[in-house]
Amino acid sequence: MRHREVASDSSSLRGERSRRVAAEKQSQEKTPPDSPMRRWLHPSRVVRRCAWLHALLLCVYVCIPFVVKSFPAIQAKIVFQNSVGLPLGNLSRPSEFNLSSSRAFFVPSTDGVLLGAWYIPAHGFSSADFPSSRPIVLYLHGNTGHRGGSHRVELYRVASLHGFDVVAFDYRGYGDSSNVSPSEDGVVADAVSVFEWISARSTSAIHMWGHSLGSGIATKTARLLSERGTPPRSLVLEAPFNNLREAARAHPLAKVSRGPGRAPSGRSSTGCSPASTGSSSLRWRRRGCASPRTSSKQRGLSGTERVRSVVHVKAPVTILHAKDDWIIPYSLGVKLYESARGRPASSGPVKLLLVDGEHGHGHKYLVRSAELSQLLRELASASRAGGGEE
């Protein structure tokens, strides 16, 4: 009996080996030595393909700054990013964005452009009350998305709870506004048009509030209005920058251009890195990414015109920035504050509010900070003292 069991085990092993040999032969027959698959996986060919891939990536790495600098249309797309239409929803129905007591309307701007806008009344009031004598926050949002972004809606609601009516709108090319490519002059004209539209219907105090890219648009708009003798009651700049060049250099995506471990510091007076840092090719690439070619009419956000604009605003200015802002470092807000301090005392005070990074508010959610709530209370009190509230 035991002998038969051993013989059976031996025969099963021989059968398994024969099946394995047959499978290997069948595989070799299906994949001959000169098959496309074997040629594709040949080590020498793999090495050549990797070399070509590295060369292609290097070419892209070097050429992108040149292309960006040479074509202003590409620069505009990078700055405004208006093609990102999120979150999804019907902007003509504010209720879809958790704003049940609000209403949507359109404001005419220059060149036949129509701007989609919302009116959010102060808490406890109806949208039919407009115009009212309550103070108004005119909100200018940053790039990407539209006025229905969650962090933007959160700000409207907080301002409403503090007794403000809020008017929020989309620049040309954003949201449900006219599908026109945005430009610096165009979006500033849009902001001026909305301000004048409100002023023609209400005598309330209008506090202009700009976030991120909107802070640059709000600053230039406030300067133009100041020159016309109709400045806003105050200017609030949330997560602002001193100019687009330094903001672009500080952006997380620019770390690839700077190289590993290189901080966006040590700039010369022109905003570029000193010539002694890094190789000449990398210096050229950093200049290409951070020095857009702009005309004299388009330097309000990108160059020193931004600093001159805030100096000429004839209204109190508040700069609000989180220390953990990883998109626009708070150091750029501090630079803007230092510049604004040089304006005449008759223009009003300049205040800097820095929020500790331990709270995690970052770039978008300063609306959840105690500093922002306190600021709204102060603005509401100043509006009442100036006769801007019923």
Side-chain angles (χ1 to χ4, degrees), residues 109-133:
S109 184
T110 58
D111 305 322
V113 170
L114 287 178
L115 307 173
W118 284 341
Y119 167 62
I120 303 100
H123 182 68
F125 292 89
S126 168
S127 60
D129 293 340
F130 188 81
S132 73
S133 58

Side-chain angles (χ1 to χ4, degrees), residues 91 93-105 116-132 134-141 146-170 194 197-198 204:
L91 290 168
R93 297 179 179 176
S95 58
E96 293 189 10
F97 299 88
N98 201 24
L99 295 170
S100 57
S101 61
S102 308
R103 69 181 177 95
F105 57 97
W118 284 341
Y119 167 62
I120 303 100
H123 182 68
F125 292 89
S126 168
S127 60
D129 293 340
F130 188 81
S132 73
R134 294 183 295 273
I136 297 171
V137 168
L138 174 57
Y139 184 79
L140 282 67
H141 66 70
H146 49 67
R147 64 186 185 274
S150 61
H151 60 289
R152 296 162 186 164
V153 170
E154 193 169 343
L155 177 65
Y156 312 154
R157 294 172 65 85
V158 170
S160 174
L161 288 172
H162 283 82
F164 289 90
D165 291 346
V166 179
V167 174
F169 72 98
D170 280 311
V194 176
W197 185 91
I198 298 171
S204 300

Side-chain angles (χ1 to χ4, degrees), residues 250-273:
H251 194 278
L253 293 179
K255 292 179 180 178
V256 178
S257 299
R258 291 195 300 268
R262 186 176 296 279
S265 60
R267 299 180 182 86
S268 67
S269 60
T270 61
C272 297
S273 297

Side-chain angles (χ1 to χ4, degrees), residues 269-337:
S269 60
T270 61
C272 297
S273 297
S276 60
T277 57
S279 67
S280 59
S281 61
L282 286 180
R283 289 199 304 273
W284 172 84
R285 190 175 194 278
R286 289 194 290 271
R287 288 196 295 269
C289 285
S291 303
R293 181 182 298 170
T294 54
S295 68
S296 60
K297 294 182 179 181
Q298 296 176 324
R299 291 176 182 158
L301 302 181
S302 58
T304 57
E305 183 67 21
R306 172 74 195 280
V307 174
R308 288 197 293 268
S309 289
V310 74
V311 169
H312 287 85
V313 172
K314 296 179 180 179
V317 176
T318 302
I319 295 173
L320 186 66
H321 220 133
K323 290 185 175 181
D324 64 336
D325 190 332
W326 63 283
I327 299 295
I328 300 178
Y330 78 93
S331 59
L332 302 188
V334 173
K335 287 186 177 182
L336 184 63
Y337 168 71

